[in-house]
Amino acid sequence: MEDLPEALLAEIIKRVTKRSDLNSLSLVSKRLFAIQAEQKGSIRVGCGLCLATEALVSLFSRFPNLWKVEIDYAGWTPSHGDQLDNHDFFVIISCCPSLTDLTLSFCSQIDDTGLGYLCYSEKLTSLRLNSATEITSSGLLSVAVGCKSLSSLHLINCEKVGSTEWLEYLGLNGSLEELVLRNCNGISLYDLIMLGPGWMKLRKFEFRMGGLWDVHEGYDHMEIDVNLGKIAREKNEISRVF
């Protein structure tokens, strides 16, 4: 196999889908090891991640074409060691110039400062924050301002997110096509009007707060305008009551 062109070896590796087989294949030779690393586009890490800076750089630099990163601390306990913090997150972002898809789940040590580092990820198009307990509206605003290509945003159980300035910015200047909000108690149905003209770009919208559940795909923009007008009228009526 050492005599095969690199492009052909890369095509062979692409067709191997089982993780254990890929790991075995990469151990056959240094050449296959390097090609397999170049072909890897996604990675998922969690409680077992070594947080030493040198280890993080070594791991993420090995895969120069990573476009999808998922960091998941579900089930984490102190016995697992420290969680990824803002500095560690910056190291990872710096090693992933092709990052377009990012998921942070149960990352309690990453706050608005860490989220602000995403301004260096100019290619980022999809961001999912699940139970990001320290993230507030300030961090989301920095993402809205810095990530011009963001087209998909999922916020799940983000309890500190309240102010909707970030939502207004995305509506006026962003390219948001998918918005999912689940159990973010600081965001009400009436706040969604702040997205303004951004509704015209949405292809998928999902909103859930307690027992309220609303999912739409393939919007009729005329229907959006009618619904927004209704929300605005209801909001004005509530304001007059109080």
Side-chain angles (χ1 to χ4, degrees):
M1 292 184 66
E2 292 295 329
D3 295 329
L4 293 178
E6 187 168 310
L8 182 56
L9 285 175
E11 189 62 33
I12 292 173
I13 291 175
K14 286 180 182 178
R15 296 173 183 270
V16 180
T17 57
K18 193 174 181 180
R19 174 56 51 193
S20 59
D21 291 340
L22 278 172
N23 291 337
S24 298
L25 186 63
S26 66
L27 297 177
V28 172
S29 68
K30 291 183 178 179
R31 189 179 181 208
L32 285 173
F33 180 86
I35 294 175
Q36 190 266 339
E38 289 179 359
Q39 294 298 311
K40 189 176 181 65
S42 63
I43 190 171
R44 183 177 184 272
V45 296
C47 299
L49 181 64
C50 179
L51 299 180
T53 299
E54 296 80 6
L56 288 175
V57 171
S58 177
L59 173 62
F60 286 89
S61 295
R62 179 192 164 194
F63 309 113
N65 295 314
L66 283 178
W67 60 271
K68 183 176 182 179
V69 173
E70 180 179 356
I71 302 172
D72 187 355
Y73 277 97
W76 177 88
T77 65
S79 63
H80 289 117
D82 294 333
Q83 278 200 25
L84 193 83
D85 62 17
N86 292 331
H87 172 265
D88 303 323
F89 185 57
F90 176 72
V91 172
I92 292 175
I93 293 299
S94 301
C95 294
C96 300
S98 300
L99 183 65
T100 61
D101 190 312
L102 174 66
T103 299
L104 300 178
S105 297
F106 300 92
C107 296
S108 60
Q109 299 303 310
I110 296 178
D111 57 22
D112 292 340
T113 298
L115 207 61
Y117 294 141
L118 290 179
C119 65
Y120 299 105
S121 299
E122 298 179 354
K123 298 179 180 180
L124 189 70
T125 60
S126 178
L127 176 63
R128 299 175 187 84
L129 300 177
N130 181 13
S131 299
T133 57
E134 298 304 312
I135 299 299
T136 73
S137 299
S138 296
L140 289 177
L141 180 59
S142 67
V143 171
V145 173
C147 302
K148 304 296 185 182
S149 299
L150 190 69
S151 61
S152 177
L153 177 62
H154 290 217
L155 302 179
I156 303 170
N157 297 323
C158 295
E159 298 177 355
K160 289 189 177 181
V161 176
S163 167
T164 52
E165 187 178 0
W166 59 273
L167 194 59
E168 181 178 10
Y169 191 94
L170 284 175
L172 292 173
N173 304 292
S175 55
L176 205 63
E177 297 180 358
E178 181 173 313
L179 177 62
V180 174
L181 303 172
R182 298 181 191 167
N183 298 326
C184 297
N185 296 331
I187 304 173
S188 72
L189 187 60
Y190 298 109
D191 291 327
L192 299 177
I193 195 173
M194 299 301 292
L195 192 60
W199 285 102
M200 300 297 291
K201 302 174 185 177
L202 280 188
R203 295 182 180 179
K204 177 180 178 180
F205 169 66
E206 181 178 323
F207 179 82
R208 179 178 183 178
M209 184 176 67
L212 183 60
W213 177 265
D214 196 7
V215 180
H216 292 283
E217 292 192 50
Y219 266 120
D220 181 321
H221 291 136
M222 183 65 73
E223 180 182 351
I224 292 175
D225 293 339
V226 172
N227 290 337
L228 284 178
K230 182 179 179 182
I231 291 174
R233 288 193 297 273
E234 290 176 354
K235 186 173 184 179
N236 288 334
E237 289 173 3
I238 292 173
S239 297
R240 286 197 294 272
V241 170
F242 290 95

